Amino acid sequence: MSSVFNLAFKNELKSLNLQGVFLKELEWIPDSLGKLTWLTDLNLSGNRLESLPDSIANLVNLMNLDVSANQLVSLPESIGQLTSLEVLNIENNKIEELPWTIGHCKSLMELKAHLKAIPEAIGNLANLKILSLHYNCLKGLPTTMSNMKSLVELDVHFNQLESISESLCLVTTLEYLNVSSNFADLKELPSCIGRLQNLKHLDASYNHLTILPDSFSMLVNLQTLNLEGNPLRIPPLHIVEQGKEVS
């Protein structure tokens, strides 16, 4: 494998795809990875990696990193030095929590992860537009998410969310919100959800919602709404009057 990285260094490659589906599964990455400072795209998905070298911090031009479907148990704290990183996919690993240094990845616009907890530092990702945290064991979302002024899409379906912080209502850029399939754990939506006036798509299906907040009628740009599988006591009249597409 060192020969591959040596060749990449010699040719000053900008894109390197070592996805397991194309090559024999990788179990380790040499420190020489850090020499590939020209790289902008790196795909290491679908292998058996248990760790990444600290030298990954030297990839100062890296914009896209995919390490999904490996055996990673953590990310190196040096990940925070990837200040050009825009897209990070760490889904389908054994990572339980992101390092606090993730908050230094100021250029990050899309993050896909399977985790058990989210660090407060995620609130520092002011340019993040897409956050996908589905199929996890999350019980709550950090209040610092209110600082994410660029967030457009948030997917937290299939978790164990017991509540959604009122602070999320300050993320007024949100257009897509999926909080479905938290089942009996999620019993209510935040009372101020009406502040999300750019929200176009809301999926809150298969939870334990019995009523909707009064501010719900303020979601004037809502185009699709899925409330299937909730024990709602009374059909929300204001939704019917507004002619929303309700499942």
Side-chain angles (χ1 to χ4, degrees):
M1 185 48 59
S2 295
S3 60
V4 173
F5 288 99
N6 288 336
L7 181 63
F9 176 75
K10 180 179 180 180
N11 293 332
E12 300 185 3
L13 293 186
K14 291 187 176 181
S15 180
L16 181 58
N17 188 340
L18 297 178
Q19 186 177 4
V21 72
F22 298 119
L23 298 174
K24 183 179 179 180
E25 290 182 339
L26 292 174
E27 295 183 355
W28 63 280
I29 296 294
D31 286 335
S32 56
L33 171 68
K35 296 180 179 180
L36 309 182
T37 55
W38 302 276
L39 273 184
T40 58
D41 298 271
L42 178 59
N43 188 342
L44 298 172
S45 64
N47 291 291
R48 292 180 294 180
L49 298 174
E50 296 182 357
S51 64
L52 295 175
D54 287 334
S55 63
I56 197 171
N58 297 329
L59 306 184
V60 293
N61 292 304
L62 195 64
M63 299 173 65
N64 298 286
L65 175 59
D66 188 345
V67 292
S68 60
N70 277 285
Q71 302 292 319
L72 297 173
V73 295
S74 65
L75 292 178
E77 289 194 358
S78 61
I79 197 83
Q81 296 181 46
L82 300 180
T83 54
S84 297
L85 194 63
E86 296 181 357
V87 179
L88 175 60
N89 187 348
I90 60 171
E91 290 182 329
N92 296 312
N93 280 284
K94 299 179 180 179
I95 300 171
E96 295 188 356
E97 189 171 2
L98 292 168
W100 65 273
T101 54
I102 193 68
H104 296 161
C105 298
K106 302 292 188 179
S107 299
L108 202 60
M109 293 191 292
E110 181 175 348
L111 173 60
K112 296 181 178 181
H114 287 163
L115 306 165
K116 288 188 177 180
I118 310 172
E120 295 287 327
I122 201 169
N124 294 328
L125 303 179
N127 290 309
L128 198 68
K129 293 184 177 182
I130 299 174
L131 179 57
S132 179
L133 298 170
H134 60 274
Y135 287 100
N136 289 293
C137 299
L138 300 176
K139 294 184 180 296
L141 301 174
T143 57
T144 55
M145 288 185 65
S146 61
N147 298 324
M148 302 170 73
K149 303 303 184 182
S150 300
L151 195 63
V152 174
E153 179 177 328
L154 175 61
D155 186 349
V156 288
H157 80 275
F158 265 107
N159 276 283
Q160 298 173 10
L161 291 178
E162 298 173 349
S163 65
I164 299 174
S165 173
E166 298 280 333
S167 63
L168 185 64
C169 300
L170 298 176
V171 188
T172 55
T173 51
L174 265 184
E175 296 182 7
Y176 174 93
L177 176 60
N178 189 342
V179 295
S180 67
S181 300
N182 283 280
F183 303 106
D185 294 299
L186 188 59
K187 297 179 173 61
E188 62 182 7
L189 296 175
S191 61
C192 58
I193 195 170
R195 293 183 182 178
L196 302 178
Q197 296 198 4
N198 287 310
L199 197 63
K200 297 178 181 178
H201 308 283
L202 173 60
D203 189 345
S205 59
Y206 296 101
N207 290 301
H208 202 70
L209 306 177
T210 55
I211 59 173
L212 296 177
D214 291 338
S215 68
F216 215 81
S217 59
M218 297 170 59
L219 298 176
V220 294
N221 288 306
L222 200 62
Q223 297 174 6
T224 61
L225 172 63
N226 189 349
L227 296 173
E228 182 181 3
N230 282 285
L232 288 171
R233 295 172 185 169
I234 303 174
L237 181 60
H238 52 269
I239 296 299
V240 177
E241 289 176 344
Q242 291 176 16
K244 303 299 182 187
E245 179 184 335
V246 182
S247 299

